[in-house]
Amino acid sequence: MQSKILFSKGLSNIDIEIEVFYGDAYLIGLVDSKELEDKLVELAKSTDGVRKIYTYLRIKKPEYPCDSLKILANLKQNLFKDSIVEGTNVRVSIVGCDVVFSGVVDSIEQEKHAIWYAKHIDGVADVYSFIKVIK
């Protein structure tokens, strides 16, 4: 799917993260327009092996009232220090000032801890989780 984006006119994967777990595709990030969002979804639909598509795509704004790199660094530091969260299994995306989680973990507690940390970081507007719990 990444290569389809690279070779599609008008699309870039600079502000978009694409994850695929067990046939489910996750498109997370910022796009320039609704048309580009629709194009990304169509590309995902036409990708072999993709059964379901989940999106957290937002239209880019010229600027945001938060420091996304600071949010990401703070959150990653907390997740890696936490004794319950397996930090390498929880992927973090910053979309504008929102935190979006994806990944696969083996307990709901890991997801709850990740969300708690995100909600307690200055500048975070909203938190959304695509984390799958598989035992």
Side-chain angles (χ1 to χ4, degrees), residues 24-132:
D24 294 343
Y26 301 85
L27 307 173
I28 302 167
L30 298 170
V31 293
D32 291 325
S33 67
K34 177 71 172 132
E35 293 76 27
L36 290 177
E37 177 182 346
D38 294 343
K39 192 172 183 178
L40 276 169
V41 171
E42 286 306 313
L43 282 172
K45 285 180 182 177
S46 69
T47 301
D48 288 338
V50 172
R51 294 184 318 229
K52 192 164 184 176
I53 300 163
Y54 298 90
T55 65
Y56 195 96
L57 297 168
R58 300 295 182 258
I59 306 299
K60 283 183 197 173
K61 296 179 184 177
E63 59 184 66
Y64 292 90
C66 65
D67 183 341
S68 60
L69 291 176
K70 189 174 180 179
I71 291 170
L72 181 63
N74 189 342
L75 186 52
K76 286 282 196 178
Q77 182 180 22
N78 286 325
L79 292 176
F80 280 107
K81 286 194 309 189
D82 189 280
S83 63
I84 298 206
V85 177
E86 294 178 31
T88 57
N89 292 345
V90 176
R91 290 177 177 78
V92 179
S93 302
I94 309 300
V95 180
C97 296
D98 298 346
V99 172
V100 182
F101 292 110
S102 59
V104 179
V105 298
D106 61 10
S107 80
I108 191 74
E109 290 306 311
Q110 290 185 55
E111 180 182 35
K112 286 179 182 179
H113 277 236
I115 291 169
W116 185 90
Y117 285 121
K119 287 184 174 184
H120 290 86
I121 294 176
D122 286 338
V124 172
D126 199 9
V127 180
Y128 193 84
S129 176
F130 286 119
I131 293 175
K132 286 198 178 269

